[in-house]
Amino acid sequence: MQLPAPRGPLTDRLFAELARPPHAFGPPPGNPRGDPFADPCAGPCAGPCGDPFDDEDAQLALFVCYELHYQGFDGVDDRWEWNPSVLALRERLERWFERWLARRVPRPPAPPPREVPRALAALVAADDGPSLSAYLRGRAGAGQFREFVIHRSIYQLKEADPHTWGIPRLLGRPKAALVEIQSDEYGGGRPERMHAELFRATMRGLGLDDSYGAYLGGVPGVTLAISNVMSLFGLHRHRRGALLGHLAAFEMTSSVPNRRYSHGLRRLGGDAGARRYYDEHVQADAVHEQIAAHDLCGAFAAEHPGLTGDILYGAACALALDRLFAEHLLGRWREGRTSLWRADAEVADAEVAEAEATAR
């Protein structure tokens, strides 16, 4: 994966630093608030004090800092992963992101440990966000469906990896439950059945570039935030309860939407190979839903009763970000505009306009 084009002073300087061999960097002496690295809420990078989705620069910077722990970037030395300067910048961006999540996502009451599975189900049932899957099933044009797949590729091509950080942080029944879920996500040892590989087949069926991170430069901050919150929870041990709750919400809201995605793709002419990713999740996630709620989160809550609130908070964050993502896509499409960050991100304006006209 290549570093994308910068989106502001923060990524402009970060990418310039990453292009060099690992070294220490920081704000210029005597000018601590005039440099974008000094404080994410300072100077030209004032956006992070407000809504992260309005600050493409900071959201992309955080994503790139996290990606150093996954596949990295061509031309970026692997030793940057644990460079203290990068970690210091990441910490400041994480504090900004965490403050925004705390303001935007109400923290659900902490239930007794035995009530965690029921509380998760109630939280999911109470979510009243717009149904993106219903739109894609019955109204979306081919251009819009391709845009949706481009957005999802940012996470789906590394599907399961952020939650896998939780395995060495668990013991006993919760650990076994997470391994069971993740084993399915990774194809049970068969590379061609890995869910990331199935998604690549969907991309190829839609004429899209299926290489890892090909569309990083084409997606907006709201899409990056969905991946960033998983990495935030996964890379910090003290956030492990939120990580498990996030995974539970992810699995508990998957089967019905994936059935709709498959129906929508069939309506648009997608063949069985292109639809296999969605069809696989209809059955797999119906099983994962029960494992995640009871054997994973329920058992973890019994072992760590003080973290039940974190479990519910992680689930609430997953639902809130998914709702914002749906609002972004549907809002842009209603206006006859692309939902992507760049209008030329492999989806031609003419095709998007045609798809929108068809949907209307």
Side-chain angles (χ1 to χ4, degrees), residues 27-187:
N31 187 26
R33 294 187 65 83
D35 182 85
F37 283 180
D39 184 342
C41 295
C45 201
C49 288
D51 192 326
F53 306 121
D54 289 337
D55 197 298
E56 299 285 343
D57 192 24
Q59 201 64 252
L60 180 60
L62 182 58
F63 182 93
V64 168
C65 288
Y66 283 143
E67 189 59 33
L68 296 173
H69 296 290
Y70 294 100
Q71 298 299 317
F73 297 91
D74 291 347
V76 175
D77 194 308
D78 287 342
R79 292 173 296 172
W80 275 114
E81 179 182 4
W82 296 108
N83 179 273
S85 297
V86 170
L87 296 180
L89 172 62
R90 196 189 86 187
E91 182 184 20
R92 290 194 290 272
L93 289 167
E94 285 177 331
R95 287 202 303 267
W96 150 66
F97 195 30
E98 287 176 318
R99 287 196 300 269
W100 180 87
L101 286 170
R103 293 195 303 268
R104 189 69 181 259
V105 184
R107 191 174 181 88
R114 67 180 181 278
E115 294 296 325
V116 163
R118 185 179 300 176
L120 285 169
L123 192 66
V124 169
D127 184 55
D128 58 356
S131 180
L132 179 61
S133 63
Y135 182 87
L136 289 165
R137 177 189 60 188
R139 296 186 59 193
Q144 291 172 337
F145 206 102
R146 291 175 78 236
E147 281 195 8
F148 167 71
V149 171
I150 286 172
H151 285 285
R152 289 304 197 195
S153 71
I154 302 304
Y155 166 68
Q156 244 73 65
L157 292 182
K158 65 179 174 206
E159 184 167 355
D161 290 350
H163 296 110
T164 297
W165 293 113
I167 292 176
R169 293 166 177 165
L170 302 176
L171 294 170
R173 185 182 174 193
K175 185 169 191 168
L178 182 53
V179 168
E180 182 177 0
I181 293 172
Q182 299 304 82
S183 178
D184 285 346
E185 301 289 344
Y186 294 129

Side-chain angles (χ1 to χ4, degrees), residues 66-352:
Y66 283 143
E67 189 59 33
L68 296 173
H69 296 290
Y70 294 100
Q71 298 299 317
F73 297 91
D74 291 347
V76 175
D77 194 308
D78 287 342
R79 292 173 296 172
W80 275 114
E81 179 182 4
W82 296 108
N83 179 273
S85 297
V86 170
L87 296 180
L89 172 62
R90 196 189 86 187
E91 182 184 20
R92 290 194 290 272
L93 289 167
E94 285 177 331
R95 287 202 303 267
W96 150 66
F97 195 30
E98 287 176 318
R99 287 196 300 269
W100 180 87
L101 286 170
R103 293 195 303 268
R104 189 69 181 259
V105 184
R107 191 174 181 88
R114 67 180 181 278
E115 294 296 325
V116 163
R118 185 179 300 176
L120 285 169
L123 192 66
V124 169
D127 184 55
D128 58 356
S131 180
L132 179 61
S133 63
Y135 182 87
L136 289 165
R137 177 189 60 188
R139 296 186 59 193
Q144 291 172 337
F145 206 102
R146 291 175 78 236
E147 281 195 8
F148 167 71
V149 171
I150 286 172
H151 285 285
R152 289 304 197 195
S153 71
I154 302 304
Y155 166 68
Q156 244 73 65
L157 292 182
K158 65 179 174 206
E159 184 167 355
D161 290 350
H163 296 110
T164 297
W165 293 113
I167 292 176
R169 293 166 177 165
L170 302 176
L171 294 170
R173 185 182 174 193
K175 185 169 191 168
L178 182 53
V179 168
E180 182 177 0
I181 293 172
Q182 299 304 82
S183 178
D184 285 346
E185 301 289 344
Y186 294 129
R190 297 174 59 184
E192 73 278 5
R193 292 185 60 87
M194 292 174 61
H195 289 182
E197 290 300 310
L198 298 181
F199 195 82
R200 291 182 67 221
T202 297
M203 297 187 75
R204 292 193 299 271
L206 292 171
L208 297 170
D209 185 347
D210 69 341
S211 57
Y212 185 89
Y215 295 100
L216 176 59
V219 299
V222 64
T223 303
L224 299 175
I226 289 174
S227 287
N228 283 345
V229 78
M230 296 186 217
S231 296
L232 171 67
F233 293 160
L235 287 168
H236 293 276
R237 185 176 180 276
H238 75 281
R239 292 288 193 181
R240 65 194 186 280
L243 180 71
L244 303 188
H246 185 285
L247 177 58
F250 206 77
E251 300 292 349
M252 295 170 76
T253 56
S254 179
S255 289
V256 171
N258 276 290
R259 181 180 292 109
R260 291 172 177 169
Y261 300 146
S262 180
H263 290 170
L265 192 51
R266 183 186 296 113
R267 174 179 58 82
L268 294 168
D271 62 20
R275 301 194 311 268
R276 186 180 176 192
Y277 172 85
Y278 300 119
D279 293 337
E280 175 81 10
H281 281 72
V282 172
Q283 295 183 350
D285 289 351
V287 176
H288 292 173
E289 172 182 348
Q290 299 303 316
I291 298 172
H294 296 274
D295 300 331
L296 179 61
C297 291
F300 181 81
E303 294 179 1
H304 303 277
L307 298 181
T308 59
D310 288 354
I311 296 171
L312 270 292
Y313 181 66
C317 287
L319 296 171
L321 292 179
D322 199 52
R323 182 165 55 251
L324 289 169
F325 175 73
E327 290 171 352
H328 171 78
L329 268 65
L330 293 174
R332 289 297 184 90
W333 291 343
R334 279 194 298 268
E335 297 169 356
R337 302 165 60 197
T338 178
S339 63
L340 297 171
W341 166 244
R342 288 204 322 266
D344 63 345
E346 301 300 322
V347 178
D349 287 335
E351 182 181 8
V352 175

